[in-house]
Amino acid sequence: MKKGALFTTVGSIVILIISFIAFVLPSTLGSTVNNEPDVLGKYNGREIRTDRDSQFAAYYQQTQNFQQAIQNTVRDYAFEDMAKQSGYVVPKETVNYYIRKQFTDENGNFSKSKFRMAEPSVIESMSKSFTQSLYTQVITEDLLPPSSNPYAASSAKDVYKGKSIFGAKTSTAEFDFYEQLDQDKRSFDFVAFDKSNFPKEEIVKWLEPNKAKFDIFDYSIATFDSEKTATKYADKLEKGEITFDEVLLSKENIKATATSDGKGSFTQRYKVEMRLENKEDISIFDDLAVGKTSKPFNFYGDWAIIKKDADTKQIDTSLASEDEFNSVKDYMYSYEKTYIEDYFTALAKKFKADAAATSFDAACTKNGVEKASIPAFPVNYGGVALFDSVDTSITGLSTAASNEEFYKVAFSLKKGEISEPINATDTKSFGYVLVLQYTDDKAPEEEASESDKTFELQLKQMMVANYDNQSIIVDIMNDEKTDIPDNYFGNYF
């Protein structure tokens, strides 16, 4: 793994791991709050409270991050449950050992006088905090051994009666396995056909047989919350007992899907059809004579009566109007994505044929597209931080790290081979169609010194531990035992 990639995340990893295994002590031990403390949530029925000497309050003071303090508290409660279920009980001797370390003289030795001066409530709070921290630490170090952290907190090195309190479990074979996963890297040249550049002439070509979708209806509409009420007004209209303007002004008209003057909000045929319960009711809009009113029908969840105010207008298929052009274009990008993709896939196939007949560069010139390059990367689905990953900042590759087709195609090519078109979504555009050429394997790296290799291994071990830690926290926060209201934690997980 390249040192540059490691150093991009080491700072956050060091802070996270240290805080994860360090003991937490409230700064105002034994203090109380007059007001009833808030309950932020629960884990397995155990309340997460804001008392000054609570686990949450201690973490909040340590992190100054409300969400992380909740998260750490939930983690501690979950780990305590895990430890107790395994049969582990924190020895009183171990708790006393850590308490004694809080009362020392200038030489670092235990001071009986300082201990006797402490309030009993202080000792009690310290005992509770150390007990909780020891439950947390025994599980933490079972899952995330401190030897993987070159900056491990001093508590990880503590001993009791000459023996280490916690054991480290690090498998060198595991890291060798991770190292091997990062070795097979490939680099590519590629072109990206931008699907947002669908030509106007192609839109006009598609529109001709589909122009009816964009017919414009001109109608007024009254809506009611029941078929019975709508039928009552329809009967009155048919008998001439009331005008449609009076229907629009009636208190029972709920004025849904209408403008302030009673005109229908949805005017294009396809938008009207989408909101009809019975699609055959589109004939009401087609067959109604100008000035006439309709029978009741179900429209967008309500019961409606319409009056046709003018003849239906048809779209100018030349799309000379910018508004009409944008209307059709928007429709196609919403509902005809496959049609657009097929167009660019055909261009990509033509490009591949030209490249196979001449060269990749010559095909770029002939087809008016720009070649780009992808630096060497391994198979790393999802862009896991433990390994190098595809550069998603390159145009056309924003979602490549989680594109299964992209990896399958890229890593099945032979050296110099050109790929079939690959459909690639994009977070900021309508997506791309890609064509790759496998150009080279992993670029050679300079031989690192022994000290650099050692430090790099330690950082790699830290990254594994950090990744495992994040996975554990996400699992715990998603556990059905965790009950944190959205107003406290939102949808972070």
Side-chain angles (χ1 to χ4, degrees):
M1 184 176 295
K2 292 185 295 185
K3 184 182 293 187
L6 290 165
F7 272 98
T8 58
T9 54
V10 62
S12 60
I13 294 170
V14 171
I15 293 171
L16 189 151
I17 297 293
I18 290 177
S19 66
F20 195 68
I21 65 174
F23 287 117
V24 177
L25 281 174
S27 64
T28 52
L29 292 172
S31 61
T32 59
V33 180
N34 293 327
N35 298 327
E36 184 70 18
D38 287 334
V39 176
L40 303 178
K42 297 180 180 180
Y43 176 79
N44 200 20
R46 185 176 178 183
E47 292 181 342
I48 300 167
R49 303 172 66 86
T50 60
D51 309 63
R52 288 187 185 178
D53 59 353
S54 68
Q55 196 80 351
F56 167 81
Y59 274 125
Y60 181 71
Q61 183 181 32
Q62 182 190 56
T63 65
Q64 295 298 303
N65 184 306
F66 192 86
Q67 291 187 352
Q68 187 175 344
I70 294 177
Q71 171 184 311
N72 289 354
T73 304
V74 172
R75 177 206 64 206
D76 284 2
Y77 290 177
F79 279 13
E80 181 175 342
D81 281 1
M82 292 169 64
K84 288 180 176 178
Q85 287 173 15
S86 73
Y88 175 77
V89 177
V90 172
K92 290 183 179 180
E93 293 86 349
T94 306
V95 176
N96 291 337
Y97 164 76
Y98 283 108
I99 292 176
R100 287 167 61 90
K101 291 187 65 176
Q102 307 305 308
F103 301 95
T104 57
D105 58 23
E106 62 275 6
N107 297 317
N109 299 317
F110 173 66
S111 171
K112 289 184 179 180
S113 60
K114 289 184 179 180
F115 178 80
R116 289 169 180 166
M117 291 173 62
E119 293 288 336
S121 60
V122 172
I123 303 300
E124 181 183 359
S125 292
M126 292 178 73
S127 178
K128 287 171 58 179
S129 180
F130 280 124
T131 299
Q132 175 68 71
S133 295
L134 286 161
Y135 275 124
T136 299
Q137 187 157 335
V138 73
I139 297 299
T140 299
E141 295 186 1
D142 211 21
L143 300 174
L144 307 170
S147 65
S148 68
N149 178 9
Y151 302 99
S154 59
S155 59
K157 300 188 180 76
D158 284 329
V159 296
Y160 178 66
K161 293 186 177 179
K163 296 182 180 180
S164 297
I165 295 174
F166 303 105
K169 307 167 188 64
T170 301
S171 170
T172 55
E174 178 184 9
F175 300 115
D176 290 342
F177 172 72
Y178 289 142
E179 179 73 18
Q180 187 59 39
L181 289 178
D182 208 26
Q183 293 304 306
D184 183 13
K185 297 181 181 179
R186 294 186 175 189
S187 56
F188 301 85
D189 286 337
F190 80 106
V191 292
F193 293 89
D194 187 348
K195 289 190 281 187
S196 65
N197 295 328
F198 195 53
K200 180 177 180 178
E201 56 268 25
E202 291 296 324
I203 295 176
V204 171
K205 177 181 174 182
W206 174 87
L207 177 62
E208 186 57 43
N210 296 284
K211 60 185 178 182
K213 292 180 180 291
F214 303 94
D215 287 346
I216 303 294
F217 296 123
D218 189 341
Y219 64 98
S220 298
I221 184 170
T223 48
F224 307 93
D225 58 10
S226 71
E227 182 179 13
K228 181 179 179 181
T229 304
T231 301
K232 178 182 72 173
Y233 280 100
D235 290 343
K236 288 185 177 183
L237 286 166
E238 187 175 1
K239 294 174 182 177
E241 297 175 357
I242 193 173
T243 66
F244 197 78
D245 286 341
E246 290 173 320
V247 175
L248 292 177
L249 293 172
S250 68
K251 292 182 179 180
E252 292 175 296
N253 176 18
I254 60 178
K255 299 180 176 61
T257 67
T259 62
S260 58
D261 58 354
K263 300 289 285 185
S265 298
F266 306 108
T267 58
Q268 290 176 305
R269 178 184 293 273
Y270 80 88
K271 292 182 179 180
V272 172
E273 285 183 325
M274 287 172 59
R275 290 159 176 84
L276 290 171
E277 182 73 21
N278 181 1
K279 302 306 180 186
E280 294 180 359
D281 283 340
I282 193 65
S283 62
I284 294 173
F285 291 81
D286 286 327
D287 300 340
L288 200 62
V290 175
K292 297 298 183 179
T293 58
S294 74
K295 65 180 183 180
F297 62 98
N298 196 295
F299 188 61
Y300 212 29
D302 299 309
W303 285 90
I305 302 171
I306 67 167
K307 180 173 78 72
K308 194 165 188 175
D309 295 327
D311 288 327
T312 301
K313 294 181 182 179
Q314 294 184 330
I315 193 170
D316 174 10
T317 55
S318 70
L319 296 179
S321 164
E322 185 176 352
D323 287 343
E324 289 186 328
F325 169 72
N326 289 332
S327 176
V328 177
K329 181 180 178 181
D330 290 345
Y331 174 88
M332 292 192 71
Y333 278 108
S334 295
Y335 304 108
E336 295 291 341
K337 293 179 181 179
T338 300
Y339 185 93
I340 295 172
E341 183 180 321
D342 288 346
Y343 170 81
F344 285 102
T345 298
L347 293 183
K349 287 183 176 180
K350 179 181 179 300
F351 173 88
K352 178 186 177 181
D354 291 338
T358 55
S359 69
F360 204 84
D361 288 338
C364 288
T365 302
K366 181 178 179 180
N367 290 270
V369 291
E370 185 175 347
K371 182 180 77 172
S373 298
I374 310 174
F377 66 95
V379 176
N380 181 6
Y381 185 83
V384 177
L386 298 178
F387 317 113
D388 287 343
S389 60
V390 60
D391 186 351
T392 55
S393 68
I394 300 173
T395 299
L397 303 182
S398 67
T399 62
S402 55
N403 187 333
E404 185 176 349
E405 180 191 7
F406 175 82
Y407 283 112
K408 285 182 176 179
V409 172
F411 282 82
S412 62
L413 293 174
K414 298 177 182 177
K415 185 76 70 70
E417 188 178 4
I418 300 170
S419 75
E420 291 295 328
I422 304 169
N423 184 46
T425 58
D426 188 82
T427 54
K428 296 181 180 179
S429 74
F430 294 108
Y432 298 83
V433 175
L434 313 176
V435 178
L436 309 178
Q437 183 177 39
Y438 173 20
T439 55
D440 205 353
D441 297 314
K442 176 182 178 182
E445 297 179 1
E446 294 182 6
E447 181 69 20
S449 66
E450 288 303 316
S451 61
D452 283 346
K453 288 180 180 179
T454 299
F455 188 67
E456 191 168 298
L457 175 61
Q458 290 175 325
L459 290 177
K460 189 184 304 177
Q461 291 171 335
M462 267 177 56
M463 293 180 77
V464 172
N466 182 60
Y467 187 77
D468 288 345
N469 171 47
Q470 291 295 333
S471 300
I472 290 166
I473 289 174
V474 170
D475 287 344
I476 291 172
M477 296 308 299
N478 285 327
D479 193 308
E480 60 182 11
K481 296 177 183 177
T482 302
D483 180 14
I484 307 295
D486 286 346
N487 60 311
Y488 283 127
F489 210 75
N491 295 318
Y492 189 73
F493 285 93

